[in-house]
């Protein structure tokens, strides 16, 4: 199993593609942990919609804007697997990213 972590801050124009690229992976055994760092746009609401549809998504929100380093460290502390993959909220992963990563790390 893999933990995919994604810090989010004001990326409403891109976040749906980032989330979709993880949810449509060829490798299914993962948890997807997202922390919104007090976005002022609709990023959190978009994440919330996805979290209601897919139980692999664990959604959190910082109480105040803490910036990327704090948020990424908090994400790491919330993982429950041996392997952690970072996904930026304005990035897209290829369909086999997790599968290739897992196979490489296992071998």
């Amino acid at each position: 199993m893999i933990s995919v972590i994604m810090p989010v801050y004001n990326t409403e124009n891109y976040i749906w593609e980032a989330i979709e690229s993880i949810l449509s992976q060829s490798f299914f055994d993962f948890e997807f942990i997202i922390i919104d760092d007090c976005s002022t746009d609709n990023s959190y609401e978009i994440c919330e919609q996805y979290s209601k549809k897919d139980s692999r998504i664990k959604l959190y929100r910082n109480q105040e804007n803490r910036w990327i380093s704090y948020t990424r460290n908090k994400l790491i502390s919330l993982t429950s697997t041996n392997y952690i993959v970072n996904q930026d909220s304005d990035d897209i992963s290829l369909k086999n990213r997790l599968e290739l990563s897992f196979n490489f790390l296992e071998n």
Side-chain angles (χ1 to χ4, degrees), residues 16-33:
W16 66 273
E17 287 182 290
I19 294 172
E20 287 286 341
S21 75
I22 295 298
L23 295 180
S24 64
Q25 289 290 303
S26 58
F27 186 90
F28 300 105
D29 193 13
F30 63 88
E31 62 180 359
F32 191 6
I33 307 170

Side-chain angles (χ1 to χ4, degrees), residues 5-50:
I5 60 171
M6 186 169 72
V8 175
Y9 183 73
N10 288 348
T11 53
E12 71 178 350
N13 293 331
Y14 315 103
I15 193 148
W16 66 273
E17 287 182 290
I19 294 172
E20 287 286 341
S21 75
I22 295 298
L23 295 180
S24 64
Q25 289 290 303
S26 58
F27 186 90
F28 300 105
D29 193 13
F30 63 88
E31 62 180 359
F32 191 6
I33 307 170
I34 302 171
I35 296 180
D36 179 78
D37 195 20
C38 294
S39 294
T40 58
D41 63 3
N42 290 318
S43 296
Y44 180 78
E45 289 76 16
I46 293 167
C47 293
E48 193 173 41
Q49 290 173 4
Y50 277 101

Side-chain angles (χ1 to χ4, degrees), residues 24-107:
S24 64
Q25 289 290 303
S26 58
F27 186 90
F28 300 105
D29 193 13
F30 63 88
E31 62 180 359
F32 191 6
I33 307 170
I34 302 171
I35 296 180
D36 179 78
D37 195 20
C38 294
S39 294
T40 58
D41 63 3
N42 290 318
S43 296
Y44 180 78
E45 289 76 16
I46 293 167
C47 293
E48 193 173 41
Q49 290 173 4
Y50 277 101
S51 71
K52 290 178 181 176
K53 295 177 186 175
D54 196 309
S55 62
R56 295 174 293 183
I57 298 175
K58 299 174 184 176
L59 178 61
Y60 302 90
R61 190 172 204 184
N62 289 337
Q63 296 296 321
E64 60 182 295
N65 184 259
R66 300 297 300 263
W67 302 95
I68 190 77
S69 296
Y70 173 89
T71 302
R72 197 175 311 275
N73 286 329
K74 186 174 176 183
L75 280 160
I76 292 168
S77 75
L78 294 169
T79 63
S80 62
T81 66
N82 292 329
Y83 303 127
I84 300 172
V85 174
N86 185 60
Q87 172 75 16
D88 289 326
S89 62
D90 62 351
D91 200 4
I92 298 171
S93 290
L94 296 175
K95 187 169 183 65
N96 61 346
R97 177 186 179 199
L98 298 182
E99 182 178 7
L100 290 174
S101 297
F102 181 80
N103 289 338
F104 175 78
L105 292 168
E106 284 289 297
N107 292 319

